[in-house]
C-alpha cells in the first residue's frame, strides 16, 4: 500500500463545477504539499500546510491531521485548471528532506 | 527571475553512455533536489543537497552521482546510462525542508 493515496485518479467536470480532490496518507507527517503539474510537464507548488486550511484565489486546501486526510478544492472551475494535482507529505519519522508523493489526480475541465 | 532552470529539456542516450543534467536556481535557496517521475508512480527523490557543499542520497540513488557546485548549481550525472533510467527528471529548490519548493521544467531522458 502506498503511503500516499489520492482519489480520484481521474476527474472530468464541466466548467463552473466545484471540484474536490482527496489525499490520504498512512504515516505521521510534519507537512503536506499540494502541487500542480501542467500538461506541458512543469510543476508548481500550490500549498504547504500542516494544520487547518489555506486559501489562494479559487483554490482551498484543508488538512485533518487526526484523520490523516487532506482535500484540495477548486471553486468555479475553469478549463485552465486542467492539470495533474499531486499531494506530497513530509513524514515526521524521516530526515527532513524526504517528501513522499502520491501518483496524482488528472483533472479535465470541459468548457 | 528565471527560478529553476534545467538543461537539457530532452535527451536520448544509448545504453552505457554518460551525461550530466544541469540545474541552476537564482533564488538563493539552500536546499536543492533531484527527482525522477515514472508513469504510475509518484515523484521519487534521487539525491538532495541541504546546503552548499553537502549532498545526501534519497530513495533511488543507484546509478547516479551529484555535485553541488556552488549555492546556485546542482548537477546530476549518469555515469553509464541504463534503460531503467528512462524517466522524466525534475530539479527543485527551496529555502529549506519546511518551505515551498520550486521546480524546473523537467528533462525527458530516454535510454535506448
Amino acid at each position: 500500500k502506498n503511503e500516499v493515496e489520492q482519489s480520484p485518479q481521474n476527474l472530468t467536470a464541466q466548467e463552473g463545477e466545484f471540484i474536490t480532490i482527496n489525499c490520504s496518507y498512512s504515516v505521521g507527517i510534519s507537512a503536506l504539499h499540494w502541487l500542480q503539474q501542467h500538461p506541458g510537464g512543469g510543476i508548481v507548488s500550490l500549498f504547504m500546510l500542516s494544520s487547518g486550511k489555506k486559501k489562494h484565489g479559487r483554490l482551498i486546501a484543508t488538512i485533518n491531521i487526526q484523520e490523516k486526510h487532506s482535500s484540495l478544492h477548486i471553486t468555479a472551475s475553469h478549463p485552465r485548471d486542467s492539470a495533474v494535482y499531486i499531494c506530497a507529505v513530509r513524514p515526521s519519522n524521516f530526515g527532513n528532506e524526504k517528501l513522499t508523493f502520491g501518483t496524482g489526480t488528472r483533472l479535465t475541465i470541459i468548457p | 527571475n528565471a527560478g529553476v532552470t534545467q538543461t537539457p529539456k530532452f535527451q536520448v542516450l544509448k545504453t552505457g553512455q554518460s551525461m550530466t543534467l544541469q540545474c541552476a536556481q537564482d533564488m538563493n535557496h539552500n536546499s536543492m533536489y533531484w527527482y525522477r517521475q515514472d508513469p504510475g508512480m509518484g515523484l521519487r527523490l534521487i539525491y538532495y543537497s541541504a546546503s552548499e557543499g553537502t549532498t545526501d542520497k534519497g530513495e533511488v540513488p543507484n546509478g547516479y552521482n551529484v555535485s553541488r557546485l556552488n549555492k546556485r548549481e546542482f548537477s546530476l550525472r549518469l555515469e553509464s546510462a541504463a534503460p531503467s533510467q528512462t524517466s522524466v527528471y525534475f530539479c527543485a529548490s527551496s529555502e529549506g525542508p519546511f518551505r515551498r519548493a520550486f521546480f524546473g521544467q523537467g528533462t525527458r531522458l530516454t535510454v535506448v
Side-chain angles (χ1 to χ4, degrees), chain A:
Chain A
K1 187 180 188 299
N2 291 337
E3 289 183 340
V4 180
E5 298 276 357
Q6 289 186 236
S7 63
Q9 287 187 324
N10 294 283
L11 177 58
T12 300
Q14 293 290 134
E15 182 174 355
E17 287 189 37
F18 181 82
I19 303 298
T20 296
I21 298 170
N22 297 298
C23 175
S24 297
Y25 51 91
S26 56
V27 296
I29 67 168
S30 54
L32 182 143
H33 296 251
W34 281 103
L35 310 167
Q36 180 191 53
Q37 186 166 24
H38 297 288
I43 297 174
V44 175
S45 174
L46 299 174
F47 295 103
M48 189 188 75
L49 62 166
S50 55
S51 65
K53 177 179 173 179
K54 286 191 176 180
K55 185 175 189 292
H56 182 69
R58 295 179 295 107
L59 301 177
I60 304 165
T62 64
I63 188 168
N64 185 318
I65 295 292
Q66 287 74 26
E67 294 187 3
K68 294 187 168 59
H69 182 268
S70 176
S71 293
L72 177 68
H73 305 287
I74 305 175
T75 61
S77 60
H78 190 276
R80 65 175 175 266
D81 297 325
S82 297
V84 175
Y85 292 84
I86 300 170
C87 171
V89 302
R90 190 176 300 284
S92 54
N93 64 345
F94 195 89
N96 286 336
E97 302 292 348
K98 176 178 167 61
L99 282 175
T100 300
F101 292 79
T103 54
T105 293
R106 184 174 299 275
L107 174 66
T108 303
I109 303 297
I110 299 171

